[in-house]
Amino acid sequence: MMVRLMKSAVTNRSLMVVGFALVSLQAQAEDPFIAARAEALALQAKANEDLSGKCFDTVDSMPELKPIQNKIPIKISEATFEQLANQDKASEEEKPVIAMLAKVIKICSDLDFAWQTRIRPSGGTIHVAGRKILEENESSRMSSLIDLYNQKISYGEYIKQRQAANVKYIREMTAANAENDEAKENIKVLEQAQKNRMWSDIFGGMGDSIRKSQPPRAINCNPNGFGGVRCQ
């Protein structure tokens, strides 16, 4: 099955809303997901906004994934008790569906990674530590999907692995952001101290030059009328 990116845009003076849906067609390429990924990334770059959230929302409604949609919620944090307790492993019929899920999730994850690691309209890119955390989180997700596909873990175990990975991701990214912010603040303080020192050297040097350029003050001494001398 080939996955094609269908998109629509609505422009309203100061706001553009870009939505898209992943729909299946008959096979037309060796790996159609490569083309779908490239198209999605191009659309995001053109829209100049993060489309990963819309992408993940669309995955949840794909009819091709219906056989496992009641077993794997797209929003892992919203898994039900029954889903967490599910000890069923992937059947042979479900394995191709899991493979498709892995590919479309990869497209959405790549959109997120591409957005966070490029210069955004708000300015700046994600820091080096954050980039590494993103890469590790995506690697963990694919590893869990592979284990689910190979029937090494159950659906419930997959969900619990992803929940634990998400908690780890949030904790590590929060710490990395705080450390990065502190480093930026320290750099600002250091830069300000250097500027202060520079201006102090400049004005201090100017003062020395001015003092040196002044001629020595003449001292005049006159009798004070009392047998002494008064000097000014």
Side-chain angles (χ1 to χ4, degrees):
M1 303 291 285
M2 178 179 181
V3 172
R4 179 164 58 97
L5 203 63
M6 301 297 295
K7 62 271 188 186
S8 62
V10 178
T11 305
N12 181 6
R13 296 185 70 177
S14 61
L15 178 65
M16 181 171 71
V17 180
V18 180
F20 56 89
L22 292 161
V23 297
S24 68
L25 297 176
Q26 292 182 346
Q28 298 178 19
E30 184 177 349
D31 191 347
F33 287 92
I34 294 176
R37 175 183 179 276
E39 190 177 356
L41 289 169
L43 173 62
Q44 176 167 269
K46 184 177 181 180
N48 206 23
E49 66 171 298
D50 182 9
L51 300 183
S52 61
K54 296 181 179 71
C55 183
F56 279 113
D57 289 342
T58 302
V59 171
D60 196 27
S61 61
M62 287 181 63
E64 294 82 4
L65 301 178
K66 190 173 182 180
I68 61 173
Q69 282 174 343
N70 65 330
K71 297 180 179 180
I72 303 178
I74 290 299
K75 294 182 179 179
I76 292 294
S77 61
E78 297 178 1
T80 65
F81 176 84
E82 289 78 10
Q83 288 172 327
L84 286 165
N86 186 1
Q87 292 299 305
D88 291 343
K89 294 184 178 180
S91 66
E92 291 301 318
E93 293 75 18
E94 291 170 340
K95 289 176 69 174
V97 183
I98 293 172
M100 176 176 283
L101 174 65
K103 290 181 178 181
V104 295
I105 281 182
K106 182 68 166 60
I107 292 174
C108 299
S109 297
D110 285 351
L111 286 172
D112 180 42
F113 187 84
W115 179 255
Q116 295 207 55
T117 55
R118 69 184 285 273
I119 296 178
R120 299 180 292 281
S122 58
T125 62
I126 195 167
H127 42 80
V128 175
R131 186 186 185 100
K132 182 180 179 181
I133 294 169
L134 280 171
E135 291 172 341
E136 290 177 348
N137 185 59
E138 179 56 21
S139 176
S140 171
R141 189 206 311 273
M142 287 299 112
S143 178
S144 293
L145 280 169
I146 289 170
D147 285 346
L148 180 64
Y149 177 90
N150 288 328
Q151 302 171 325
K152 291 183 178 181
I153 59 175
S154 67
Y155 282 100
E157 289 170 324
Y158 168 79
I159 294 172
K160 284 181 277 190
Q161 283 185 10
R162 290 309 310 149
Q163 286 184 339
N166 287 346
V167 170
K168 179 175 180 287
Y169 168 80
I170 294 172
R171 182 179 65 248
E172 291 183 349
M173 190 64 83
T174 300
N177 286 339
E179 185 175 341
N180 186 64
D181 292 343
E182 182 179 355
K184 284 183 177 180
E185 188 60 34
N186 289 339
I187 290 174
K188 287 181 180 179
V189 171
L190 179 60
E191 289 176 343
Q192 187 59 50
Q194 290 173 336
K195 287 180 181 178
N196 293 342
R197 199 158 47 242
M198 177 186 70
W199 288 115
S200 176
D201 291 343
I202 290 174
F203 288 119
M206 289 174 59
D208 290 341
S209 298
I210 291 171
R211 285 190 292 274
K212 290 178 181 178
S213 66
Q214 297 289 334
R217 194 178 71 165
I219 300 176
N220 299 317
C221 296
N222 299 299
N224 60 10
F226 299 97
V229 178
R230 182 166 174 259
C231 296
Q232 294 180 332

